[in-house]
Amino acid sequence: MSGEPARPVDEAPAFSAALKVWARIGLLSFGGPAGQIALMHRELVERRTWLSERRFLDALSFSMLLPGPEAMQLATYAGWRLHGVRGGLAAGLLFVLPGAVVIAVLAALYSVFGAAPAAAALFFGVKAAVIVIVIEALLKLSRRALKGPWAWATAGLAFVSIFFFSAPFPLIVAAAAIWGAARGRGDAVDEQEYSAPVRAGPVAATAALWLGIWLAPLGALYLFAPDGLLTKIFLFFSWLAIITFGGAYAVLAYMAQVVVSGFGWLAPGEMMDALGLAETTPGPLILVTEFVAYLAAAKAGGLWFGLAGAAVALWATFAPCFLWIFTGAPFVERIGTRPRLRAALDGVSAAVVGVILNLSIWFTLHVFFGAVERREFGPLTLWTPELASFDWRAAALTALAGVMLLRLGWGFAPVLGLSALFGLGLGYLAGAV
């Protein structure tokens, strides 16, 4: 398979050691892309130095340019960089599978019992801790990506554009890349640090192989049930995988509208519960597609058909990620040797900070306040919380998580675990559980 990175053996960890880290990341990857990126930075750059700061930012910027969940694609790239295709598969699958299993179990329970108060209380505590994880990510990424006034300006403009004017994410990234390239002052890196020149033939073969892997189940479904629900699920979520630029947040409104009003697969309340569960379980937020597909299929054919629908949605959503990464990752290896491309990617890295700040504020508002209204004044958009809906419990849990993580230096696992237990305790005290 093409694009195996030329990396000296003594620079890479043992594959078994990497597997443990990928599993840890998959189990602790709460909080959407901002929290997940923070976790990977801590594990891969700070604690183990498996990736340099420059490589991590290059990979992050590249992942933000692609359709699909950027954090999952960042993990896949990191695995590829360390151990080639098997490493990319291991990192990508372990990033997704823990959350996918949790979502499948919750979807099955939800379809039978409805929303579980105890689970909601546990996840309430998790969400409060995730706010602190996101803040830590912002601080660290900004220190590394914002070097110089132009980078700060890029990040600021990106934030204002997406938060206040709802500018399309691809437009923001393209503008940042063009601005960076126009400056053209990126620092070239020694070419010996990077892999051999990329050859078109092997890259085309890799693209064809993974395109076939992605679409093969669709051919089987068309053969046996061309008008069946599973075929419709595959087609719809494959389409979402292609148009989901900027992560799940960029496409959730469209998906909810089509699933509820277009197809009639879910009721509005079920769609909101699906989004809430996906936000508070490990793995990419786009795992909400699995929950939606399970409920739609289970209504038509029961438990096993629901699991089949969930599996089809997972394949349609995440198989394209391996196509994008394994085809494009070898080109990232060459960016460091091209000053103008280096500067373009620096521009994207700065814009990413602004985008993550937008996601962080959006997430914090929806955790701290029970009601947040989106108001539009011409081209201007404002997220306005209802002050009376402020939840002091969320603020208290966030402050406690901040002390544990930022002041005491505890790891993610104990902070998330204790926050979840405190959330459950507050739920019992409030009589919600």
Side-chain angles (χ1 to χ4, degrees):
M1 211 168 287
S2 76
E4 298 291 337
R7 182 183 180 90
V9 176
D10 60 354
E11 291 187 19
F15 186 64
S16 59
L19 281 178
K20 295 178 182 178
V21 174
W22 303 135
R24 172 183 171 81
I25 290 173
L27 290 169
L28 298 179
S29 57
F30 293 91
Q36 292 156 2
I37 291 166
L39 174 62
M40 279 187 279
H41 187 273
R42 172 178 282 198
E43 294 290 338
L44 304 178
V45 179
E46 296 177 20
R47 294 187 61 184
R48 294 174 176 84
T49 63
W50 287 353
L51 292 181
S52 67
E53 191 69 48
R54 171 57 69 189
R55 286 194 188 280
F56 185 87
L57 289 176
D58 282 354
L60 176 57
S61 298
F62 173 65
S63 299
M64 297 291 278
L65 292 170
L66 299 173
E70 61 268 31
M72 183 265 191
Q73 291 172 154
L74 175 60
T76 303
Y77 173 87
W80 174 90
R81 185 69 190 82
L82 295 173
H83 295 106
V85 171
R86 68 167 181 162
L89 283 171
L93 291 175
L94 287 174
F95 187 83
V96 171
L97 288 180
V101 171
V102 172
I103 289 288
V105 172
L106 291 177
L109 293 174
Y110 181 91
S111 67
V112 177
F113 301 108
L122 284 168
F123 292 141
F124 175 78
V126 169
K127 286 192 289 186
V130 163
I131 291 175
V132 181
I133 294 174
V134 168
I135 291 173
E136 184 186 45
L138 268 176
L139 294 174
K140 290 180 178 178
L141 286 175
S142 62
R143 282 197 296 265
R144 291 164 174 83
L146 305 184
K147 298 179 180 179
W150 78 271
W152 281 93
T154 302
L157 288 172
F159 169 73
V160 169
S161 298
I162 196 169
F163 189 83
F164 291 106
F165 294 96
S166 300
F169 178 81
L171 178 62
I172 292 173
V173 169
I178 292 171
W179 187 7
R183 293 179 69 256
R185 291 197 292 266
D187 297 327
V189 178
D190 184 357
E191 294 200 20
Q192 293 181 355
E193 183 184 351
Y194 290 83
S195 58
V198 180
R199 293 175 295 170
V203 169
T206 298
L209 172 63
W210 284 96
L211 182 63
I213 291 173
W214 172 22
L215 298 179
L218 178 60
L221 289 172
Y222 258 116
L223 182 63
F224 294 103
D227 297 320
L229 178 60
L230 294 183
T231 304
K232 294 176 181 178
I233 288 173
F234 195 107
L235 287 171
F236 177 63
F237 290 119
S238 291
W239 169 244
L240 282 185
I242 296 173
I243 67 171
T244 310
F245 285 92
Y249 292 102
V251 80
L252 286 180
Y254 169 73
M255 182 185 70
Q257 180 181 2
V258 173
V259 166
V260 174
S261 302
F263 297 151
W265 288 348
L266 270 67
E270 291 174 326
M271 189 67 225
M272 292 303 296
D273 288 339
L275 295 176
L277 286 172
E279 283 184 343
T280 51
T281 50
L285 179 58
I286 201 65
L287 278 172
V288 69
T289 59
E290 178 193 6
F291 191 96
V292 168
Y294 177 93
L295 291 186
K299 289 178 181 180
L303 171 65
W304 294 108
F305 198 61
L307 291 175
V312 168
L314 282 173
W315 190 277
T317 300
F318 294 103
C321 297
F322 295 109
L323 167 63
W324 315 140
I325 292 296
F326 292 150
T327 302
F331 294 96
V332 179
E333 298 294 289
R334 308 302 301 167
I335 290 176
T337 65
R338 307 291 191 272
R340 193 168 291 275
L341 291 177
R342 165 80 275 136
L345 212 56
D346 284 344
V348 175
S349 296
V352 164
V353 175
V355 172
I356 293 178
L357 176 60
N358 161 70
L359 295 179
S360 304
I361 294 177
W362 185 92
F363 186 71
T364 302
L365 286 174
H366 284 78
V367 172
F368 278 17
F369 296 91
V372 180
E373 182 181 358
R374 174 175 174 170
R375 297 182 178 180
E376 297 183 357
F377 304 91
L380 182 66
T381 298
L382 291 178
W383 291 97
T384 307
E386 184 180 316
L387 297 181
S389 69
F390 176 75
D391 193 333
W392 66 268
R393 301 172 304 159
L397 285 175
T398 300
L400 179 62
V403 172
M404 290 188 290
L405 186 67
L406 302 178
R407 177 62 65 89
L408 301 179
W410 290 11
F412 284 176
V415 172
L416 289 171
L418 282 175
S419 296
L421 290 177
F422 282 128
L424 183 61
L426 287 174
Y428 273 111
L429 291 176
V433 178

